[in-house]
Amino acid sequence: MHMADALLSPAVGATFWAGTLGTITYCSKKLKSNLDEKLMPLMGVLGAFIFAAQMINFTIPATGSSGHLGGGLILAIVLGPYAAFLVMASVLTVQALFFADGGLLALGCNIWNLGIYPCFMAYPLIYKSLVKPGTSSGRIMMASILCGVVGLQLGAFSVVMQTSLSGRSELPFSTFLLLMQPVHLAIGIVEGFVTAGVINFIKAARPEILESAFSAQPLSTEISIKKVVAGLLIATLLTGGVLSWFASSNPDGLEWSIVKVLGKSRLSEADHGIAPALKSLQEKTAFFPEYGFPKTAEGEKRKDETSSWPAIDPGRSGSGIVGAALVLAAVLLIGGIIRVLRRKSA
Amino acid sequence: MFDNAYFNIGYLDTLSYRDTIIHRLDPRAKLIATLAFIITVVSFPKHEFAGLLPFLLFPVLLFSLSDVPVKFILKKVLLVSSFAVCIGIFNPLLDRQITTSFFGFSVSGGWISFFSLMLKFFLTIVSALLLIATTSFPGVCHALQKMGMPELFISQLLFLYRYIFVLVEEAMKIVRARDMRSFGKKGLGIKPAISLFGSLFLRTVERAERVYQAMLSRGFTGRLNTSRTYSLTISDVLFVCLTIMFLYLFRTYDVVSTVGRVSMRLLG
């Protein structure tokens, strides 16, 4: 579920980049202040492990399709949230550069979706409160599956939110949500199951690896959940603020999509943040059966859209096609000429 | 799924050590130009198609000036399992409002936005791949560091990159061995995979310990140093300025319509 550049608007992409960069800087500072020198090679090699592990695919029972490991949760359990987040961010950066998974603008969103939720939500809030040193394998299994599900549900929700706010896809918010969440429920369960299996394997073979992550490292024990939640809250408010600012300066794309999501024409000053979005989503879903499909809103949207379209002028569209063909030909010609000239000079 | 075609990082890596005008540019210049390009492309509204065409000039110029094989990159673009394609295909289904007609064919807004999305996908992905094919990964890391990324994260990227090749090779051996023992697809399930992950994990941790020992014995003090130095030259500044100028021109001025109008007038 890598978010892609093409689906993003610059405002959304930049906002999530800002959040991601802030978290990377925060984690680096946090780690640097009490860095165990040994951690550096371990982080690096474990990042490469995530790549290697993703090559080992397996068949998922009852579906016949094959899956592979995401890895964010294993990293959080072994390394603690700060180091795990940095490793996950580095893995996604390499994927974005070499495999073009998503692209460079979407990288901010991808690190956010696949890094923040497992490392700073699922692991500290769920796993750490359920699993203490010496807990049974069954309990580890339960906690991991819960974490996997929560992490991926939040990630999937965030993908839907980013896509809707960008307004490049026609999929209505609620339909897209209904499409994404169930799929990621299944993926989350598998991820949690595999993670628990690996953790139990490590526990049986070399328990000291997990214990050191748990107790010896001051990093993982000193996370205050309040701080993390407060940080995320600030980030959300910031997102809302920046988005609404962009919405007022760039009315065509973003405002239109915010209309779609919020069901309102304009974000008022007091309406920053995610709460109103959730509220209106709630209202929408509550009225859903009565309205069938929110037809009125849909109709209005159509009208808006057509009015924003320039009137079709046959002369203009004719010259548009000719122009497009000529530009395309010119671009290819330039490329060809340079190639030929370079071959000759070489 | 993750076969050689997908996992040939090695070839992209060797491409990045060639010596052409584009390769010689400072990594910072290329990174800034690529980011500006991507943001400009993405900033087009969703029903814009023709306006995106002039932007093909950027990848075409990079391809032809850097000798990066076009086929290889295009194959990679096709291989990327794209979320954008899966989501974009809903546009023609959901938006059937007829907005334009070409020579009697009516075209719905959904198809236009779909093709716009695909062109944006192509442009952004190709430019990201071209960045790495013309700038080595350590070069990109260096640029990131100069632009303010924390040092620890940069070391993490460099470390990760160094060991990907080693561990991926190890994982490929494991997969091959498992597949050869899995007649009738027995043994490809989730349980055997878990113990493979587990043992690969333990081997990885042991490797990290050995790496750490080796680094200590070579005088590791907590930071990684690179031997290559980069400096910004006039051509780098020129490259960035020209790129941004053209991006601005193509974004604000309707080049396609103008070219069309002028040529039609010339033809009578």
Side-chain angles (χ1 to χ4, degrees):
Chain A
M1 56 156 201
H2 281 83
M3 190 67 197
D5 277 359
L7 288 173
L8 279 177
S9 72
V12 177
T15 310
F16 278 90
W17 250 122
T20 297
L21 276 180
T23 318
I24 288 177
T25 316
Y26 177 72
C27 289
S28 302
K29 277 217 179 101
K30 201 89 194 167
L31 280 179
K32 200 150 203 182
S33 62
N34 40 13
L35 181 66
D36 175 9
E37 266 185 7
K38 251 180 137 172
L39 196 62
M40 210 160 133
L42 184 64
M43 278 168 66
V45 183
L46 279 184
F49 163 78
I50 296 297
F51 269 96
Q54 288 186 345
M55 295 183 63
I56 305 176
N57 56 342
F58 47 82
T59 48
I60 296 165
T63 61
S65 64
S66 73
H68 66 85
L69 196 65
L73 196 54
I74 289 187
L75 290 175
I77 294 170
V78 175
L79 290 171
Y82 301 109
F85 179 78
L86 286 186
V87 176
M88 211 52 208
S90 69
V91 167
L92 290 165
T93 305
V94 170
Q95 279 179 346
L97 281 168
F98 284 92
F99 311 136
D101 261 350
L104 296 182
L105 184 63
L107 178 58
C109 294
N110 285 326
I111 296 179
W112 184 274
N113 300 345
L114 296 167
I116 294 268
Y117 299 122
C119 297
F120 292 107
M121 302 286 265
Y123 172 73
L125 298 178
I126 299 169
Y127 192 87
K128 279 208 59 138
S129 55
L130 286 176
V131 178
K132 302 274 177 264
T135 11
S136 68
S137 318
R139 208 176 157 89
I140 290 180
M141 179 65 80
M142 187 189 82
S144 305
I145 290 181
L146 204 59
C147 280
V149 168
V150 168
L152 274 145
Q153 286 296 301
L154 288 171
F157 179 73
S158 190
V159 168
V160 175
M161 210 174 65
Q162 287 152 3
T163 310
S164 293
L165 284 174
S166 298
R168 298 296 188 260
S169 158
E170 289 290 341
L171 273 176
F173 186 77
S174 44
T175 316
F176 193 12
L177 209 61
L178 285 176
L179 221 67
M180 288 285 279
Q181 304 301 130
V183 175
H184 286 87
L185 183 66
I187 299 177
I189 291 172
V190 173
E191 174 84 16
F193 184 79
V194 175
T195 301
V198 176
I199 295 298
N200 282 327
F201 187 100
I202 300 169
K203 205 176 127 200
R206 282 189 63 184
E208 79 279 3
I209 294 176
L210 295 175
E211 274 157 26
S212 72
F214 233 103
S215 52
Q217 269 182 37
L219 308 165
S220 50
T221 50
E222 74 165 21
I223 335 155
S224 113
I225 289 168
K226 268 186 207 153
K227 253 192 203 165
V228 174
V229 172
L232 283 169
L233 207 68
I234 291 168
T236 322
L237 283 176
L238 214 74
T239 313
V242 171
L243 282 181
S244 61
W245 177 69
F246 264 100
S248 55
S249 65
N250 174 22
D252 47 43
L254 214 110
E255 182 137 312
W256 175 87
S257 61
I258 286 176
V259 171
K260 199 163 71 168
V261 176
L262 294 183
K264 272 188 230 168
S265 66
R266 198 172 290 269
L267 285 171
S268 64
E269 286 300 311
D271 276 347
H272 290 180
I274 206 165
L278 287 177
K279 201 177 146 209
S280 87
L281 178 73
Q282 217 174 19
E283 282 167 11
K284 248 191 187 172
T285 41
F287 285 111
F288 202 67
E290 281 176 49
Y291 277 73
F293 219 70
K295 263 183 200 145
T296 46
E298 198 79 341
E300 264 171 34
K301 184 202 85 190
R302 282 284 145 78
K303 234 193 282 165
D304 283 353
E305 212 177 314
T306 38
S307 64
S308 75
W309 268 86
I312 303 164
D313 163 19
R316 193 189 172 276
S317 73
S319 70
I321 296 166
V322 174
L326 284 177
V327 166
L328 203 62
V331 165
L332 292 177
L333 194 68
I334 292 171
I337 290 172
I338 294 175
R339 278 247 146 151
V340 170
L341 286 179
R342 285 177 58 83
R343 280 230 183 102
K344 267 189 186 161
S345 66
Chain B
M1 180 164 58
F2 288 102
D3 54 355
N4 277 332
Y6 185 70
F7 239 97
N8 47 11
I9 316 175
Y11 186 57
L12 263 180
D13 190 64
T14 43
L15 280 181
S16 69
Y17 291 100
R18 289 191 180 175
D19 188 30
T20 66
I21 309 177
I22 302 293
H23 285 83
R24 278 192 293 269
L25 287 170
D26 188 272
R28 270 166 288 177
K30 278 179 277 188
L31 186 64
I32 292 170
T34 308
L35 287 179
F37 175 79
I38 291 173
I39 289 173
T40 318
V41 164
V42 166
S43 77
F44 273 96
K46 74 172 167 186
H47 285 114
E48 181 66 58
F49 181 77
L52 286 164
L53 288 174
F55 286 88
L56 283 167
L57 189 61
F58 184 72
V60 166
L61 279 181
L62 287 187
F63 267 126
S64 42
L65 288 172
S66 67
D67 285 338
V68 171
V70 182
K71 244 195 211 157
F72 170 71
I73 299 285
L74 293 189
K75 237 192 208 161
K76 258 183 116 64
V77 174
L78 280 180
L79 270 173
V80 175
S81 54
S82 176
F83 185 63
V85 180
C86 300
I87 299 306
I89 199 68
F90 284 100
N91 282 7
L93 294 173
L94 291 169
D95 179 5
R96 292 163 186 250
Q97 182 90 33
I98 303 298
T99 50
T100 325
S101 61
F102 288 148
F103 307 116
F105 288 101
S106 24
V107 180
S108 71
W111 278 110
I112 294 183
S113 63
F114 174 72
F115 282 116
S116 164
L117 206 67
M118 289 306 101
L119 189 54
K120 279 181 191 164
F121 166 72
F122 177 80
L123 287 169
T124 51
I125 297 300
V126 165
S127 61
L129 285 173
L130 276 171
L131 173 71
I132 201 68
T134 59
T135 319
S136 61
F137 186 76
V140 174
C141 289
H142 174 82
L144 286 173
Q145 187 175 8
K146 283 277 153 142
M147 286 160 68
M149 272 282 188
E151 204 184 293
L152 189 71
F153 185 60
I154 300 298
S155 321
Q156 165 63 21
L157 282 173
L158 290 170
F159 243 116
L160 166 66
Y161 186 63
R162 187 150 305 176
Y163 283 96
I164 282 179
F165 297 96
V166 181
L167 282 188
V168 160
E169 211 145 281
E170 202 159 312
M172 266 155 69
K173 268 188 226 159
I174 293 177
V175 170
R176 204 176 308 135
R178 178 191 63 172
D179 290 352
M180 286 168 87
R181 289 167 180 79
S182 313
F183 297 113
K185 305 233 163 161
K186 271 185 186 172
L188 294 177
I190 221 166
K191 284 230 162 97
I194 286 175
S195 35
L196 292 185
F197 291 139
S199 55
L200 184 64
F201 181 89
L202 293 182
R203 267 192 262 172
T204 309
V205 171
E206 277 154 20
R207 186 186 297 273
E209 282 157 9
R210 288 199 303 277
V211 168
Y212 178 62
Q213 299 296 337
M215 282 164 64
L216 275 187
S217 62
R218 286 166 181 78
F220 176 63
T221 55
R223 54 180 295 165
L224 294 180
N225 300 308
T226 43
S227 58
R228 207 172 147 184
T229 52
Y230 299 91
S231 58
L232 277 176
T233 60
I234 297 172
S235 57
D236 296 319
V237 177
L238 203 69
F239 171 71
V240 173
C241 290
L242 275 178
T243 309
I244 289 175
M245 224 176 68
F246 273 102
L247 289 177
Y248 184 74
L249 177 77
F250 290 161
R251 179 68 183 89
T252 51
Y253 187 71
D254 192 357
V255 180
V256 167
S257 292
T258 313
V259 169
R261 236 180 298 126
V262 168
S263 63
M264 275 168 100
R265 203 168 300 155
L266 285 179
L267 289 169

